[in-house]
Each structure stands twice: as C-alpha cells, then as structure tokens.
C-alpha cells in the first residue's frame, strides 16, 4: 500500500490514511462509549495505526465491551465500503482473532448470555452506526494530528454544545 518513487517507498495515500483513521477512531470511540480506559490512538504515515484501550476489571461484561471495541474498526470499514481485497485482510486480521478468543471466554464466564459470533457482530454494527458522528469527528482529528490520547477522544465524543 505504498506509492513508489525513484527514492523507494513513500508515505501511504490520503485514502489509506483516511481508512486507517476511521478504523482506529472506531475502536477508540466504541471503547470510550462502553466505559473502557482509552489510551493512545494513532495513525502513522504508512497507514498503519493503533488504538490502546483496557478494562479496569476482568468480568464478562467488560470482556464483551473489549470484543465490541475490537470489532468496531472492521465494522466501520465494512459499513463505509471496503473493497474485496480489504475485506479479505480484515477477515484475517488480529482484531478478528482477538475477538474470537474473547467471545469464547465470554461464553465460558456467562453461558446464560448465549453469545454467538453473529449476535456480537450485530451488536457491533449497532454500536458503530449509533456512534458514527463521534467516530467521524475522532477520525478527522486523527487525520490532522496523527495521535490522540484518551482525554482528547473523550472530549471529541462529548455532545456538541
């Protein structure tokens, strides 16, 4: 996903940076909205990125929140039109692997919830769609600043006055 010039590799395209900003913003906004502790969120010039978030307690509900935050980036990309190549990459991503193992742990901790991959996917779609304005706001700030901390994410998620 790099453009080549005579000097070798250059930074990613604007569209790739935009996609990564949306993806990472989705993780951060959903994590914040579900009460997780959001740390550093960044988008790098090569279109890679990261979003750090943690749960203060290891319980089934906080683990489910982590799963929803893990899947939020993928869902946001799919809702905004990821092409077939990107869909394949998302389907085989670390986010999916992390969510799968956490769903299994949720099923073990709270069997009465009867969680399935499908029900978690539906929940994630709902929460991403419900928070799309905040996600877009955080993604815009990430495109400009390239890095935000949890306090900045929280401020950007607050209702506009």
């Amino acid at each position: 996903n790099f453009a080549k010039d005579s000097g070798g590799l250059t930074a990613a395209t604007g569209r790739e940076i935009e996609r990564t900003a949306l993806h990472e913003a989705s993780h951060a906004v959903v994590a914040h909205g579900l009460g997780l502790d959001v740390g550093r969120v960044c988008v790098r010039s090569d279109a890679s990125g990261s979003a750090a978030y943690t749960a203060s307690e290891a319980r089934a509900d906080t683990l489910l929140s982590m799963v929803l935050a893990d899947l939020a980036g993928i869902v946001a990309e799919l809702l905004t039109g990821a092409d077939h190549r990107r869909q394949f990459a998302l389907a085989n991503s670390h986010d999916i692997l992390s969510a799968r193992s956490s769903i299994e742990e949720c099923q073990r901790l709270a069997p009465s919830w009867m969680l399935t991959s499908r029900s978690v996917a539906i929940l994630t779609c709902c929460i991403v769609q419900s928070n799309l304005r905040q996600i877009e706001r955080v993604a815009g700030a990430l495109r400009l600043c390239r890095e935000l901390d949890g306090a900045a994410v929280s401020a950007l998620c607050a209702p506009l006055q």
Side-chain angles (χ1 to χ4, degrees), residues 2 24 70-71 118 151 159:
F2 291 98
E24 301 307 334
D70 288 346
L71 294 174
R118 184 173 193 270

Side-chain angles (χ1 to χ4, degrees), residues 79-97:
L79 288 174
T80 57
D83 64 25
H84 290 294
R85 195 173 97 193
R86 184 62 184 157
Q87 288 176 27
F88 181 80
L90 292 169
N92 295 286
S93 68
H94 172 74
D95 292 343
I96 291 285
L97 295 174

Side-chain angles (χ1 to χ4, degrees), residues 73-122:
I74 292 169
V75 167
E77 284 196 56
L78 293 173
L79 288 174
T80 57
D83 64 25
H84 290 294
R85 195 173 97 193
R86 184 62 184 157
Q87 288 176 27
F88 181 80
L90 292 169
N92 295 286
S93 68
H94 172 74
D95 292 343
I96 291 285
L97 295 174
S98 177
R100 279 186 181 152
S101 98
S102 295
I103 289 169
E104 289 172 4
E105 183 64 11
C106 273
Q107 290 167 331
R108 189 187 67 73
L109 291 172
S112 64
W113 291 1
M114 298 177 16
L115 282 178
T116 64
S117 295
R118 184 173 193 270
S119 63
V120 171
I122 291 168

